[in-house]
Amino acid sequence: MPTQWKSPLDGFDNLPPLPTDVNPDGKSLYNPPGTTKSVAYDQFLPPILPSNNGFDFHIYYMPANEAEAKFARELHERIRREFPELRIYRFWDRPVGPHPTAMFEVNTFTPHETGAFFSWLVVNRGPCSVLIHPNTDDAFRDHTESATWMGKPWPLNTNIVSKDNRT
């Protein structure tokens, strides 16, 4: 059964309607200045657990493709050099866990790291696909409903993180 999502407008009750004015670009809508910025700039929101790391980035490659494997190794080294504050795991040359192909994992700990690393990967991931998921108390949902992909999505072995194996 799919997750029942609460309304994104919960907590924004009884506010005046937003204006329908268009900005000078002729396309985007004018948003009046808010009184405060979203707390999501500075902290992960529930149900993301900040006690370990907020997000996992699993960077996939095909080990049988020599050029792609070489690129992935070089990308792994570049990430270690450019983002030493992130947790970067060993380079796997075979499937591991629910992941169907070779990969390596990078963890982010703050929304700022997550955003910076996400945008960096958009530009630098090359032929690699990237599974990005939050860490909550539901590993199955983290790897399925809450996951997002850069590049080609791969089918996961969700039996390993199945609803029966939830922690």
Side-chain angles (χ1 to χ4, degrees):
M1 176 176 186
T3 302
Q4 297 299 313
W5 302 100
K6 71 176 191 166
S7 170
L9 290 175
D10 280 358
F12 288 81
D13 307 301
N14 303 317
L15 294 176
L18 290 168
T20 57
D21 301 347
V22 177
N23 285 318
D25 66 9
K27 298 183 271 183
S28 64
L29 295 171
Y30 168 74
N31 287 327
T35 55
T36 60
K37 69 178 184 174
S38 172
V39 298
Y41 282 105
D42 298 313
Q43 64 190 40
F44 291 124
L45 302 178
I48 299 171
L49 301 173
S51 58
N52 189 7
N53 65 289
F55 280 83
D56 292 352
F57 289 74
H58 298 277
I59 300 159
Y60 291 8
Y61 70 96
M62 294 191 307
N65 180 323
E66 191 175 309
E68 192 169 314
K70 180 181 186 293
F71 182 90
R73 285 195 179 282
E74 291 172 354
L75 182 64
H76 183 262
E77 180 177 334
R78 170 82 182 268
I79 292 167
R80 289 186 67 202
R81 292 181 184 282
E82 194 160 340
F83 295 94
E85 70 283 4
L86 304 182
R87 184 167 44 211
I88 303 153
Y89 289 85
R90 65 176 280 196
F91 194 84
W92 291 95
D93 60 0
R94 61 180 174 77
V96 62
H99 309 288
T101 190
M103 65 99 192
F104 64 94
E105 177 180 348
V106 178
N107 301 154
T108 59
F109 299 90
T110 69
H112 290 287
E113 289 175 354
T114 304
F117 190 57
F118 183 97
S119 60
W120 186 90
L121 275 177
V122 166
V123 173
N124 291 291
R125 70 175 176 80
C128 300
S129 290
V130 184
L131 165 66
I132 304 146
H133 70 79
N135 288 301
T136 70
D137 64 356
D138 189 336
F140 180 80
R141 186 170 55 220
D142 294 349
H143 286 81
T144 57
E145 291 179 41
S146 299
T148 196
W149 287 89
M150 281 186 216
K152 179 187 92 170
W154 288 72
L156 300 180
N157 179 2
T158 55
N159 293 335
I160 292 173
V161 291
S162 76
K163 293 176 184 177
D164 296 333
N165 292 331
R166 289 181 179 179
T167 56

